Amino acid sequence: MKLFVSAVLLVAAASAAHVPGSVPSNLYEPLEHRLAYAGPRGMTVSWNTFAKIDKPLVKYSQNPHKLTQDAKGNSVIYPTSRTWNHHVTLQDLKPNTKYYYTVTGENCHECPENEVYSFSTSLPAGDKTPYSIAVVVDLGLMGPQGLSTKVGTGAANPLGPNDTNTIQSLVQNIDSYDFLWHTGDIAYADYWLKEEIQGYLSNTTLTGGAELYETMLESFYDEMQPISSVKPYMVGPGNHEANCDNGGTTDPVHNITYTYDICLPGQLNFTGYINHFRMPSKESNGVGNFWYSWDHGLVHYIQLDTETDLGNGILAPDAPGGPEDENSGPFGSYPNEQVDWLAKDLASVDRSVTPWIVVGAHRPWYASYANKSSAICTVCKNAFEPLLNKYEVDLVMHGHIHFYERNAPMKNGVVDPNELNNPSSPWYIVNGAAGHYDGLDPLQYPIQNYSRYTTDQAYGWSRITVHNATHLTQEFVASRNNTVLDSATLYKEHNFKSKGHSKGYRGQH
Ligand SMILES: *[C@@H]1O[C@H](CO)[C@@H](O)[C@H](O)[C@H]1NC(C)=O
Ligand SMILES: *[C@@H]1O[C@H](CO)[C@@H](O)[C@H](O)[C@H]1NC(C)=O
Ligand SMILES: *[C@@H]1O[C@H](CO)[C@@H](O)[C@H](O)[C@H]1NC(C)=O
Ligand SMILES: *[C@@H]1O[C@H](CO)[C@@H](O)[C@H](O)[C@H]1NC(C)=O
Ligand SMILES: *[C@@H]1O[C@H](CO)[C@@H](O)[C@H](O)[C@H]1NC(C)=O
Ligand SMILES: *[C@@H]1O[C@H](CO)[C@@H](O)[C@H](O)[C@H]1NC(C)=O
Ligand SMILES: *[C@@H]1O[C@H](CO)[C@@H](O)[C@H](O)[C@H]1NC(C)=O
Ligand SMILES: *[C@@H]1O[C@H](CO)[C@@H](O)[C@H](O)[C@H]1NC(C)=O
Ligand SMILES: [Fe+2]
């Protein structure tokens, strides 16, 4: 056994040297490890390989030296992808427990002996243990094809020579959060075309787009590996997952306007995103990686889809013929599936067990961005806000606009008179400042009167700390130097009556 362990560690050292975006010499080398909660007692382990593996397998147990249990899964690929996506869901795990795992293939003689990673399963719903999570939106590739010490034409805020970027900051702070929640705009691989047109990339050819798109995705997932291999990486859809051209790009030099027609099959309709991740929608009656929910301790988390499927006849931004015409969706089996699901999901929450409800939704409807009103998603507001108000959702995390803005709790555009002291309205935060090649978005004056803190000067991420059933803190952490630039605590009385079907956490108020 001892021998086996040192062999594993040896391989670990070797695989750590993988250069993001490169093709490894052993095509069976597992890359882009990622985890996702799968119900209260499950964890999905996903990874990619350049070679096809017939039967992906995860070996695991609570003892890193004896990975005696195993679970099987499946593999998917799509046209233009250079790699296979493997997904294996581990079930019947103990809650709040550390497990060790390694990924391989059944009878896969070419599969190397792989590194052992670990994860912790979620806290049972109602468990009062305080904890923190990290939230990012609009986080792209870092380095020469992404955010670096230079930015695109006309953009501001390149990284300073000594700045840590958001991925590095999240790695440095990895012990401070239980999971990472990335609610849309993941990698920005679709900017390959814009980066070429702007001359941001060293001279590549436009016909190289398919490969460039895929390598940019691979590079990003490689950069995320130190986080996503050990912490659940929960994701939501953003407009940049929709297709390969970011809703239309004009090349002014050659007078060409590109549309999604330039995208090769496999780069449209959220294909990469659908293949790459496995969010717990089966476990929460949601749909794919688009809308779903899960519990962790005192919080019920909900991921919404602002891009497609808004229901009630509302044309979603990325829908075919929608305002941004990304030719994507729908993903529900009928037009109102998402809002119907949201209503049911919210109604089913036993607030005496999980008093907090935190929602992630990519596009904001409250933000100081009046002069660029197309970035404000009024249709999303129309689709979702009535339900969020009705069920007194506590916190809504948005992004899409690339700055940080903490707003007041509010309802139908009116600030809650209680502010953070036991409001009945949802609290809204926009944090799209994680970083991508084109810098941050400048604030648009006038700043709205519901805004409480805003900055367009720092890349950063949010840390949310759940102290107990009544207090929750949201901080904006500047990635550059890991300082907290903004911190505010929400107090909620949360005096909910038990629904009577909870298991052992009754009557906690
Ligand atoms: C970066 O760090 C180096 C070494 O500490 C220092 O000499 C240099 O002045 C710093 N540069 C900036 C722009 O802060
Ligand atoms: C890229 O290469 C083409 C053809 O080789 C050349 O015409 C063009 O000027 C180059 N562009 C840049 C930004 O170097
Ligand atoms: C650009 O192309 C459009 C049609 O595609 C044309 O109407 C327009 O005149 C062109 N502009 C220039 C500056 O060539
Ligand atoms: C996108 O994919 C979904 C299924 O995954 C399909 O139902 C829908 O028609 C597709 N949309 C477009 C515009 O191709
Ligand atoms: C936005 O528009 C307002 C007028 O409505 C103007 O006062 C303000 O300067 C504009 N801000 C920017 C950044 O253009
Ligand atoms: C805030 O601004 C809006 C207009 O944007 C205005 O209708 C409202 O009365 C203002 N509220 C307060 C409290 O000043
Ligand atoms: C909840 O946490 C807050 C912040 O840490 C603390 O001030 C408060 O006393 C706690 N409440 C209870 C009931 O423990
Ligand atoms: C850290 O970075 C932030 C954001 O740029 C800046 O405001 C702050 O002064 C920096 N703090 C230190 C200690 O350098
Ligand atoms: Fe976005």
Side-chain angles (χ1 to χ4, degrees), residues 23-320:
V23 180
S25 54
N26 180 351
L27 300 181
Y28 290 86
E29 184 176 331
L31 303 167
E32 310 172 22
H33 294 70
R34 53 208 180 272
L35 301 164
Y37 294 125
R41 304 188 59 190
M43 187 71 76
T44 298
V45 179
S46 304
W47 72 102
N48 283 35
T49 52
F50 278 80
K52 184 173 193 299
I53 295 176
D54 285 332
K55 292 176 180 163
L57 189 75
V58 172
K59 297 183 184 175
Y60 65 100
S61 88
Q62 285 172 253
N63 179 346
H65 308 302
K66 289 184 184 157
L67 302 180
T68 47
Q69 290 167 277
D70 56 47
K72 293 170 196 174
N74 58 46
S75 306
V76 287
I77 195 165
Y78 56 93
T80 75
S81 177
R82 309 198 304 173
T83 59
W84 288 83
N85 300 266
H86 312 293
H87 303 288
V88 175
T89 300
L90 318 187
Q91 273 153 345
D92 300 320
L93 303 171
K94 294 179 188 155
N96 193 20
T97 299
K98 187 167 187 177
Y99 283 87
Y100 297 85
Y101 75 97
T102 193
V103 305
T104 182
E106 209 179 339
N107 303 318
C108 178
H109 305 297
E110 304 90 338
C111 288
E113 249 174 30
N114 294 319
E115 184 162 358
V116 175
Y117 300 95
S118 66
F119 60 74
S120 291
T121 49
S122 58
L123 292 167
D127 187 304
K128 292 174 187 150
T129 310
Y131 69 90
S132 300
I133 68 167
V135 183
V136 288
V137 197
D138 309 295
L139 175 62
L141 174 61
M142 300 291 152
Q145 295 179 335
L147 180 63
S148 67
T149 48
K150 61 172 190 167
V151 283
T153 313
N157 307 99
L159 290 175
N162 297 339
D163 289 358
T164 47
N165 65 45
T166 296
I167 297 179
Q168 291 164 332
S169 175
L170 287 166
V171 171
Q172 288 168 4
N173 288 280
I174 196 147
D175 292 331
S176 78
Y177 52 88
D178 282 9
F179 67 87
L180 173 62
W181 194 5
H182 189 162
T183 82
D185 287 3
I186 300 168
Y188 288 95
D190 61 338
Y191 269 161
W192 66 269
L193 183 57
K194 202 170 161 190
E195 290 184 20
E196 284 189 349
I197 288 168
Q198 289 191 356
Y200 184 76
L201 297 179
S202 53
N203 204 354
T204 49
T205 56
L206 291 181
T207 50
E211 196 167 355
L212 190 50
Y213 180 78
E214 296 299 335
T215 26
M216 285 172 74
L217 276 181
E218 291 160 16
S219 305
F220 175 79
Y221 296 132
D222 285 340
E223 290 179 351
M224 293 298 282
Q225 150 98 11
I227 303 161
S228 58
S229 59
V230 294
K231 299 282 169 162
Y233 180 40
M234 309 305 285
V235 296
N239 50 307
H240 288 270
E241 281 69 71
N243 67 36
C244 90
D245 89 320
N246 182 31
T249 300
T250 300
D251 177 351
V253 175
H254 303 98
N255 191 25
I256 304 170
T257 297
Y258 295 98
T259 68
Y260 58 76
D261 290 341
I262 196 178
C263 305
L264 296 170
Q267 296 180 343
L268 288 162
N269 202 10
F270 289 90
T271 300
Y273 178 72
I274 290 167
N275 278 268
H276 196 71
F277 296 106
R278 283 295 171 272
M279 292 300 118
S281 48
K282 245 194 317 194
E283 293 80 357
S284 56
N285 300 310
V287 167
N289 301 324
F290 293 92
W291 55 90
Y292 62 89
S293 65
W294 77 101
D295 295 324
H296 185 60
L298 292 172
V299 187
H300 180 70
Y301 293 94
I302 297 177
Q303 175 65 57
L304 294 178
D305 171 13
T306 56
E307 306 309 306
T308 68
D309 296 81
L310 295 183
N312 293 315
I314 302 172
L315 199 53
D318 297 351

Side-chain angles (χ1 to χ4, degrees), residues 413 415 448-450:
V415 169
Q448 300 295 306
N449 56 18
Y450 52 71

Side-chain angles (χ1 to χ4, degrees), residues 370-371 443-446:
N371 297 19
L443 293 172
Q444 297 285 322
Y445 294 92

